[in-house]
Amino acid sequence: MSTNTLTGFTCLAPIAARDTVLLGHGSGGRLSGELVRDVFLPAFGSPELERLNDQAVVTVGGARIAMTTDSFVIRPLFFPGGDIGSLAVYGTVNDLAVGGAQPLFLSAAFILEEGFPMSQLRRVAASLQRAAQACGVQVVTADTKVVERGKGDGLFINTTGIGLAPSARELSADRARPGDRILLNGSIGEHGIAILAQREGLEFESAIESDCAPLHTLCAQVLEAADGIRCMRDLTRGGLSSALNEIAAQSRAGIALDESRIPVREEVRGACEMLGLDPLYVANEGKMIAIVAPEAAVSALAAMRNHPLGRGAEIIGTVTEAHAGLVTMKTALGTARIVDMLAGDQLPRIC
Amino acid sequence: MKYIDEYRDGAIARALASDITSLATRHWVLMEICGGQTHTIMRYGLDELLPASIELVHGPGCPVCVTPIETIDKAIALAMLPDVTLVSYGDMLRVPGSHSDLFRAKARGADVRIAYAPTEALKIARAHPERKVVFLAIGFETTAPANAMTVWQARREGLTNFSMLASHVLVPPAMRALLSSPDNRIQGFIAPGHVCTVVGYREYEELAREFFIPIVVGGFEPVDLLEAILMLVRQLEEGTAIVQNQYARSVSYQGNLPAQQILREVFEVADQKWRGIGEIPQSGMRFRREYAAYDANHLFALDLIAADEPAECISAMILQGRRKPTECAAFGTRCTPENPLGAPMVSSEGACAAYYTYRRHAVATAQETR
């Protein structure tokens, strides 16, 4: 055979400008970050928005009001452990809760596709109301739009939430400091795998349910038990990895994780092995992390474990001076590797 | 988890690494063929556990990376046709062709679907007789039988709206090409366990004899790879050159005979282009004449589409083990997984992407201390 085939190597030029919106722009990964940085921040550019937190905290007549908004485009609409209605409440409640706010009021906007079954809409509305009651929030305003058949995907929901943030607390993704501990309230990846299993018709020995849950009382309990909480984040699309990468970038600090401390249920691990996924990137809807000053870590962990949604809580890592902006992880073999932010996402519309 | 935990056990891994350290009396250059193995080495930092005398170089065994650029161009051209539904594995969608990728085609209105198995494309074809469903089928001997089976099934059912744009590659001819190069540095191979699960390892014995090189069929977990490295080092130190099977829980000498039979039924061996490498004789598979009706190349007259890859990155040097990804000036700056300059940065199993994803902190630290 010819021996020069390997030296006449060839390559390709990069594809430069992103001239259209890609699915990956909605993944919560690096492409989403680019979209915010290149399009929305230059357009809106308010100081509060530029902090890139899950919620804004603004002062109105002496009161600190927390506000957040989220849209829900999940498929399937009904999944093991929840549905789009309860998710639309918990998602927004959690974004307020991790900002240290007490959630109070919600708006709910429905974008419906012509031909969507009324029975399903009733089911979703009832579920949304039950979830709101369970969280002690009221739906105080709502909107409906109907788009032509084929111009929507059945049902999309947007909710906006308002809450009261006690004055003393300053929680933000840029406040992590070397030495701080990273707390996680339980096992990761259940929501994403439950959705994927349902969507792809995969069956496992025991059903995996979404972890979809409201985190406001857990957050309040942690804040009450310990000073020195720097920042909290609920883990949604993009998983644990995206949340930690954002904090590392905004705080200009490194984050070092210990793989053996990160709880992942056996069924989720099995499903991830089979599907070629890393649980660190799989979506959650009832998990949160707290970045806590070292002296407050023990009491914060105890407070977490004392709550039904935090029984499996662990200290999973430390904020470091080294590798600023990067998340690294000590593997089971004792070696270290990077936990990178994904560019996009191959699981369409997890939440 | 059984069959997983024991192969990721830190104590076992460290014991194997220490055996390798005490056994190796000189510098040895070993290549793992498969991208899945490269991925494990980087993800678990196996290079950190090994002595400096063991140099691992990363082979061309990433099917996404080596799929020719013109196959991607053809897939995009097909996807843009109004009556075509193009189905493929998720990984293929972000592989750049000459000017675009399938994600961008999808954003422009092309009907592109992600599947976990080729038979999902058959389901779409049955449900939508008005659509021409094309499966973009790539892969080594591992995935090829499932693709062959799908074509066989389509013919048996008499489906007329299903076809396949296939780009299959074979491992042994690529190893032969590497070993025949005058600049070859490779002294031992970790052969790809999943490929051998299908085809067995008889063909590898010919290579071992002809080039007097030890080959160990290896698995994909950290302990598998360390054990395979230990077996190679032992052979090298003793001066033997035979094929050994580390991955015996999956691989037999004969391989999977029904899978081989379906492969031969649908495809025949042909010359094949490899992205980043060039054409390697007898290293691919084309449709047999009886199955030509399922060859999208033939059906849609795609032979007219040709693409040249501009020479810019050092991928061939990397795929031959003559350079490390981190020795490339573009690594991590102009060339990243989002904007790959070359094949090995394209898929998560490519050598450059694996370095970038898991190991660039170590590179940064090394540069700081230099």
Side-chain angles (χ1 to χ4, degrees):
Chain A
M1 80 155 290
S2 151
T3 50
N4 65 2
T5 50
L6 292 170
T7 44
F9 61 85
T10 49
C11 238
L12 68 154
I15 294 161
R18 297 196 160 90
D19 53 357
T20 46
V21 173
L22 304 176
L23 264 181
H25 282 120
S27 68
R30 204 174 279 146
L31 279 174
S32 305
E34 264 178 33
L35 189 70
V36 169
R37 202 182 54 233
D38 297 346
V39 179
F40 295 124
L41 285 183
F44 307 140
S46 69
E48 192 49 42
L49 187 66
E50 269 161 23
R51 300 177 67 173
L52 295 175
N53 283 324
D54 285 347
Q55 69 302 116
V57 179
V58 291
T59 305
V60 183
R64 292 179 81 233
I65 310 277
M67 182 174 175
T68 189
T69 191
D70 207 340
S71 298
F72 299 85
V73 298
I74 191 164
R75 284 293 162 285
L77 296 174
F78 304 92
F79 49 86
D83 58 67
I84 191 172
S86 54
L87 195 63
V89 173
Y90 298 155
T92 295
V93 160
N94 291 349
D95 280 345
L96 291 173
V98 293
Q102 183 199 352
L104 294 172
F105 302 108
L106 284 187
S107 75
F110 295 82
I111 299 170
L112 305 167
E113 185 184 359
E114 180 187 22
F116 186 72
M118 201 59 85
S119 59
Q120 287 195 22
L121 185 58
R122 284 208 182 87
R123 237 177 109 188
V124 169
S127 166
L128 193 151
Q129 173 57 17
R130 265 198 310 278
Q133 266 173 347
C135 296
V137 296
Q138 277 182 61
V139 177
V140 289
T141 181
D143 177 55
T144 313
K145 294 285 183 293
V146 179
V147 295
E148 274 174 61
R149 187 185 273 274
K151 299 280 169 70
D153 195 3
L155 167 65
F156 298 141
I157 302 179
N158 170 276
T159 54
T160 294
I162 283 183
L164 266 183
S167 55
R169 276 164 195 158
E170 185 71 39
L171 300 168
S172 185
D174 56 9
R175 288 172 55 88
R177 295 292 171 268
D180 288 355
R181 302 292 192 267
I182 298 146
L183 276 61
L184 167 68
N185 71 318
S187 54
I188 56 170
E190 284 143 35
H191 177 72
I193 294 297
I195 297 300
L196 196 64
Q198 169 108 348
R199 194 186 283 152
E200 302 292 333
L202 305 174
E203 283 175 22
F204 302 105
E205 270 175 37
S206 52
I208 299 168
E209 285 202 354
S210 167
D211 60 343
C212 162
L215 297 169
H216 60 300
T217 54
L218 173 65
C219 290
Q221 203 161 302
V222 170
L223 284 169
E224 197 161 310
D227 289 330
I229 311 289
R230 317 277 201 201
C231 160
M232 298 192 288
R233 274 278 161 109
D234 61 330
L235 310 178
T236 56
R237 61 184 180 179
L240 177 63
S241 151
S242 293
L244 289 173
N245 271 285
E246 282 170 16
I247 292 168
Q250 286 173 48
S251 295
R252 296 193 176 83
I255 287 181
L257 299 175
D258 183 344
E259 186 170 28
S260 65
R261 309 303 305 173
I262 301 173
V264 185
R265 277 176 51 194
E266 204 62 7
E267 303 91 304
V268 171
R269 274 186 69 195
C272 284
E273 285 297 330
M274 210 177 81
L275 297 167
L277 303 172
D278 186 335
L280 297 174
Y281 299 96
V282 178
N284 306 271
E285 287 293 347
K287 293 299 170 319
M288 48 108 43
I289 47 169
I291 311 288
V292 183
E295 64 278 7
V298 172
S299 45
L301 182 67
M304 251 191 199
R305 286 185 172 167
N306 212 11
H307 189 282
L309 293 174
R311 288 208 206 293
E314 292 286 349
I315 296 179
I316 60 166
T318 311
V319 179
T320 64
E321 221 168 320
H323 306 311
L326 279 183
V327 180
T328 57
M329 182 165 83
K330 193 174 110 195
T331 69
L333 306 191
T335 54
R337 66 132 157 142
I338 291 178
V339 176
D340 211 359
M341 186 110 161
L342 287 190
D345 197 337
Q346 274 163 27
L347 319 173
R349 296 198 319 217
I350 285 279
C351 67
Chain B
M1 203 184 315
K2 200 159 161 45
Y3 301 119
I4 294 283
D5 291 336
E6 57 268 49
Y7 293 97
R8 293 181 188 168
D9 186 290
I12 299 175
R14 280 187 294 275
L16 284 166
S18 129
D19 288 351
I20 294 168
T21 308
S22 48
L23 201 60
T25 59
R26 47 164 288 197
H27 188 86
W28 297 113
V29 181
L30 311 178
M31 173 180 275
E32 80 284 355
I33 291 288
C34 178
Q37 294 167 330
T38 307
H39 192 87
T40 300
I41 289 166
M42 293 302 139
R43 177 171 176 171
Y44 289 92
L46 298 189
D47 50 331
E48 276 182 30
L49 290 180
L50 290 171
S53 56
I54 303 300
E55 182 182 347
L56 294 178
V57 296
H58 317 300
C62 161
V64 174
C65 298
V66 301
T67 298
I69 193 164
E70 62 194 41
T71 304
I72 308 296
D73 288 352
K74 286 175 181 178
I76 293 167
L78 276 177
M80 294 308 291
L81 295 176
D83 54 350
V84 166
T85 296
L86 189 102
V87 186
S88 195
Y89 302 114
D91 243 20
M92 288 310 292
L93 268 64
R94 48 175 293 269
V95 179
S98 299
H99 307 290
S100 185
D101 60 37
L102 284 165
F103 267 127
R104 285 172 176 79
K106 183 167 156 57
R108 282 192 214 102
D111 186 2
V112 179
R113 318 257 182 109
I114 296 175
Y116 274 99
T119 45
E120 288 173 42
L122 277 191
K123 276 189 208 158
I124 298 173
R126 286 186 207 113
H128 299 279
E130 76 288 0
R131 305 285 302 165
K132 291 177 183 159
V133 178
V134 182
F135 187 72
L136 170 56
I138 63 137
F140 283 89
E141 295 93 321
T142 332
T143 43
N147 295 334
M149 191 71 203
T150 304
V151 171
W152 181 83
Q153 177 76 25
R155 189 166 93 144
R156 203 177 66 151
E157 288 179 30
L159 274 180
T160 54
N161 65 327
F162 173 81
S163 63
M164 193 172 270
L165 180 60
S167 175
H168 292 118
V169 277
L170 303 172
V171 170
M175 287 170 70
R176 182 173 293 279
L178 289 165
L179 289 169
S180 305
S181 162
D183 304 311
N184 172 51
R185 298 176 60 228
I186 305 154
Q187 295 165 298
F189 278 111
I190 303 175
H194 289 152
V195 166
C196 293
T197 302
V198 172
V199 294
Y201 52 92
R202 184 197 300 267
E203 225 180 319
Y204 294 79
E205 291 185 332
E206 287 166 29
L207 286 169
R209 266 197 303 273
E210 190 180 331
F211 293 93
F212 197 74
I213 186 161
I215 301 175
V216 173
V217 181
F220 297 82
E221 296 297 333
V223 166
D224 285 323
L225 286 160
L226 289 166
E227 196 178 11
I229 292 167
L230 178 64
M231 289 161 86
L232 281 174
V233 171
R234 189 171 289 136
Q235 281 203 49
L236 286 163
E237 293 286 342
E238 289 171 356
T240 51
I242 56 169
V243 178
Q244 291 176 293
N245 182 12
Q246 180 276 330
Y247 200 37
R249 67 184 186 280
S250 176
V251 176
S252 68
Y253 183 70
Q254 297 283 351
N256 181 336
L257 295 174
Q260 294 167 29
Q261 197 182 342
I262 191 79
L263 256 186
R264 280 194 302 270
E265 160 75 22
V266 177
F267 299 116
E268 60 192 8
V269 172
D271 297 349
Q272 172 76 26
K273 255 194 191 173
W274 295 53
R275 186 176 198 159
I277 293 180
E279 188 163 294
I280 302 179
Q282 302 291 293
S283 69
M285 281 182 280
R286 66 169 172 233
F287 282 91
R288 286 190 184 278
R289 200 177 308 145
E290 304 89 292
Y291 288 89
Y294 295 92
D295 181 358
N297 252 314
H298 177 78
L299 277 183
F300 295 91
L302 293 172
D303 290 334
L304 296 174
I305 297 180
D308 283 325
E309 304 172 25
E312 205 181 333
C313 88
I314 62 165
S315 60
M317 305 290 257
I318 284 162
L319 297 177
Q320 289 178 89
R322 291 167 58 195
R323 292 278 178 80
K324 285 268 187 288
T326 47
E327 290 165 14
C328 174
F331 176 82
T333 51
R334 287 188 308 114
C335 184
T336 62
E338 286 100 90
N339 272 312
L341 282 175
M345 191 61 102
V346 164
S347 153
S348 65
E349 296 194 350
C352 296
Y355 267 77
Y356 184 85
T357 307
Y358 294 127
R359 312 293 297 153
R360 66 181 191 278
H361 67 297
V363 177
T365 312
Q367 280 166 352
E368 278 161 24
T369 50
R370 214 175 275 162

